[in-house]
Amino acid sequence: MTQYTGHVEPHGAPATRTLDHLIITKMSVGEYDNNTYLLTDRSSGEALLIDAAAEGDRILDLVAAGPRAIQAIVTTHQHGDHWQGLKQVSAATGASLLTHSLDAGALPVASSVFPEQGSTYAIGSSTVEFIHLRGHTPGSIAVLYRDPSGHPHLFTGDSLFPGGPGRTTSPADFDALLGDLTTRVFEVLPDDTWVYPGHGDDTTLGAERPHLGKWRARGW
């Protein structure tokens, strides 16, 4: 099996990371190189999808290759490139839809669960936690899996990338996002936390932590 690196090619084959209790599958979809992530609980086969961003047929093929259909779809934020495949995938699977209440109104399908800061959701015997990161959009959320036998895994949408926070459109929004990243992510999670962003390659909190001061100084 090829070692997981966090890199996937646009429109290319998915990459899979097998943990003791969870399988993480990453695939790039759509014209904006969006990452979609499938989290599958190994004991039950229940799965959660993060961002049905585009190419619903490819996402459904990815789901069909696993042991069971997805139980839930998390949309990390309201921007359209993160939900172009949502209507098709949700109709085909009947999955519960999870979106923060501040962003849910912009989606084409009504959500049924509204995660807040610190709330949790069970995928079989595995549990994920939600972190509200205000700034890129009002209701942006990250998904945190605290691996009981390893390091944490954090899915950040467009709120954190290798090299800095996601795009904001005002100084107030930037301050909000960097503030939440500082107090809700960097101050509470260890350096070996693996970060899975909404586009492009993965990183770790340890690789990004030394640059917090530079990000604040440059304002983006």
Side-chain angles (χ1 to χ4, degrees):
M1 181 181 296
T2 302
Q3 182 179 5
Y4 180 86
T5 65
H7 177 77
V8 289
E9 290 292 331
H11 313 294
T16 298
R17 185 174 207 173
T18 302
L19 311 178
D20 285 351
H21 305 282
L22 194 74
I23 298 171
I24 300 170
T25 306
K26 175 180 182 177
M27 185 170 69
S28 172
V29 297
E31 61 179 312
Y32 298 107
D33 188 21
N34 284 76
N35 294 323
T36 186
Y37 297 96
L38 185 67
L39 280 55
T40 306
D41 176 62
R42 296 183 66 182
S43 64
S44 67
E46 293 186 10
L48 176 146
L49 184 74
I50 300 175
D51 283 344
E55 297 187 83
D57 289 339
R58 288 185 65 216
I59 292 174
L60 290 172
D61 286 344
L62 180 69
V63 172
R68 290 180 60 180
I70 55 175
Q71 310 302 303
I73 303 171
V74 175
T75 302
T76 58
H77 63 288
Q78 65 177 271
H79 290 157
D81 62 312
H82 287 259
W83 50 254
Q84 292 300 310
L86 180 61
K87 188 173 183 178
Q88 179 183 356
V89 176
S90 63
T93 62
S96 299
L97 305 185
L98 286 70
T99 316
H100 194 280
S101 59
L102 293 177
D103 275 17
L107 273 58
V109 187
S111 298
S112 54
V113 181
F114 303 95
E116 299 292 339
Q117 167 66 18
S119 64
T120 61
Y121 194 87
I123 319 164
S125 61
S126 301
T127 300
V128 297
E129 178 182 333
F130 297 98
I131 303 174
H132 185 196
L133 299 173
R134 300 159 290 189
H136 181 66
T137 67
S140 289
I141 51 175
V143 181
L144 173 64
Y145 172 64
R146 299 180 186 267
D147 186 355
S149 55
H151 56 75
H153 299 260
L154 182 65
F155 303 83
T156 55
D158 284 0
S159 291
L160 179 64
F161 295 96
R167 180 181 63 86
T168 54
T169 57
S170 72
D173 285 344
F174 172 78
D175 287 344
L177 178 53
L178 190 57
D180 281 352
L181 285 170
T182 300
T183 60
R184 298 179 177 185
V185 174
F186 283 97
E187 289 183 358
V188 297
L189 294 173
D191 280 352
D192 61 359
T193 300
W194 195 276
V195 176
Y196 304 79
H199 306 262
D201 292 350
D202 300 353
T203 185
T204 65
L205 290 188
E208 306 305 323
R209 191 184 303 276
H211 307 295
L212 279 166
K214 179 176 69 175
W215 300 344
R216 185 170 295 281
R218 76 188 184 189
W220 58 276

